[in-house]
Structure formats: C-alpha cells, structure tokens
Amino acid sequence: MGEEEPDSRWAELTGGRSGARYAARFAELAASGADVHGEARFCAALLEPGTRVLDAGCGTGRVAIRLAQEGYDCVGVDLDTSMLAEARRAAPDMRWLEADLAEIDSLGLEPDFDMIVAAGNVIPLLAEGTEAAVIACLSALLKPGGLFVTGFGVDAAHLPLTSAPVTLEDYDRWCVQSGLEPVRRCATWDGDPYRGGGYAVNVHARASASLRPGDRA
C-alpha cells in the first residue's frame, strides 16, 4: 500500500468543512460596503476581457465569478468540496473542477491560459513539500507570456498559521525553476509598491522570447 498524500495546511485548519462559513463571511463584508473584489480588479488591470483565466485554489469562487462577470473566460479548481459547493451554488454555469493542485495535470486541461491566479494564501496553505510541484504544474498550463499572479502572507500576522512556511526567496526560486520570470511585486491588491512587509502580491510570466521582466510593470 502506498503512502498517503499529506493533507494541505488548509485542510488541517478547516477539516474541509468551511465553505458555507467562508461564503457567509464575505457576503457580510460585501453587504457592509467593504471592497471584496480587490484581487479581481488587480487581475483585470493586467489583461483584456475575453482572455482565459484559471483560478487555482478558487475556494468559493469569489475571484473567478467576479472576473467572469467582467467578461473573462474563467475556470476554477480546488480540492475543498465544501468550498466548491458554494462556488457551484453561486455560479452553476461556470466550470468548477475538483483536484489537488499538485496533480492538476490529471484534469487534462489544455495549456492555453492567459493568466493563473492563486489568491487567498493558496501557496502557504498547500501541503508541506508540494509548493514547488504546484507552481511547476500551474506554470505548465500557461501560454508563453501568460501571467501567474499570487498573493500571500510571509509572516504569521498575515496568515492563519503560527509561522510563515514560505518565504519570498523560496517562492521566487520555485518560479524560476518553473520557467517563470518576475514582472511585478506589490504590497497589496490595490497595487501599492512592495517595500518589505508581511504580505506580497506577485506577478510572474511564463518565459517567452518576446517577454522581458518589467514589460507589464
């Protein structure tokens, strides 16, 4: 019998049963007038509507649904069935897929995405030791020049964890190993410049002959 796959840090925190609670929290925030669409707005500023977007670790679908409303062709993928249930309830006509991001190649997706976004601390909440593999698998689904956008905490104050398992140095190394070039790093989804601190929004691009780091900065 083979070894069991390690649970993600997210699964260890939630037990895979937090979908309804998570959706209700953001519904309450939106009803109070809070801006809950910063991630989608940031992504929409990078590419024209009509382009193809994969929301990796989509959760309840908040980012993908907003981008789809703005005219983007979106697919969401997550391993948490409770979160996907909320996404399917909110947007039943969209494509929601269940898969471990480290094994996303098992879905048979075409490598034709213009952007892959992993918001909501997806990277540090992966199963320990799978981070490099996940980034490699996701990078392989991008078109040449396609964008890889992530946002995550790099200290405990910005994570639901007692310490940060991923550093920006780790992350940048994994991106380079996966053929991703740095484009831009921000401190917030509003695009504030990153000058250190506990949260980073990262834009990388899959290497192509015509793309140079900074082209879309």
Side-chain angles (χ1 to χ4, degrees), residues 55-60 76-79 101 117-120 122 138:
D55 187 353
C58 63
T60 60
V77 60
D78 205 292
L79 188 58
L101 294 181
V117 57
V122 168
L138 293 176

Side-chain angles (χ1 to χ4, degrees), residues 1 16 30 35 50-51 61 64 66 72 113 120 154 169 181 211 213 216:
M1 183 178 295
D35 178 11
T51 49
R66 182 65 172 186
Y72 294 83
F113 288 95
V154 291
E169 290 77 12
E181 301 175 344
L211 183 70
R216 292 187 177 87

Side-chain angles (χ1 to χ4, degrees), residues 89-165:
R89 180 190 59 77
D93 294 332
M94 289 181 61
R95 190 179 182 194
W96 306 107
L97 304 173
E98 182 179 339
D100 186 325
L101 294 181
E103 300 173 356
I104 197 170
D105 53 355
S106 67
L107 295 175
L109 294 170
E110 294 295 325
D112 61 354
F113 288 95
D114 300 283
M115 176 186 291
I116 295 175
V117 57
N121 285 318
V122 168
I123 300 300
L125 293 177
L126 295 168
E128 182 178 359
T130 67
E131 300 92 346
V134 167
I135 292 170
C137 288
L138 293 176
S139 173
L141 293 175
L142 285 168
K143 295 177 180 178
L147 299 179
F148 186 57
V149 181
T150 65
F152 57 87
V154 291
D155 65 17
H158 293 83
L159 289 166
L161 302 169
T162 57
S163 62

Side-chain angles (χ1 to χ4, degrees), residues 5 19 57 167 176 178 188-189 211:
E5 294 294 326
T167 69
V176 168
S178 299
T188 69
W189 290 102
L211 183 70

Side-chain angles (χ1 to χ4, degrees), residues 177-201:
Q177 291 170 349
S178 299
L180 296 167
E181 301 175 344
V183 174
R184 183 182 180 191
R185 175 162 287 148
C186 302
T188 69
W189 290 102
D190 288 328
D192 300 314
Y194 184 79
R195 299 189 177 92
Y199 193 85
V201 177

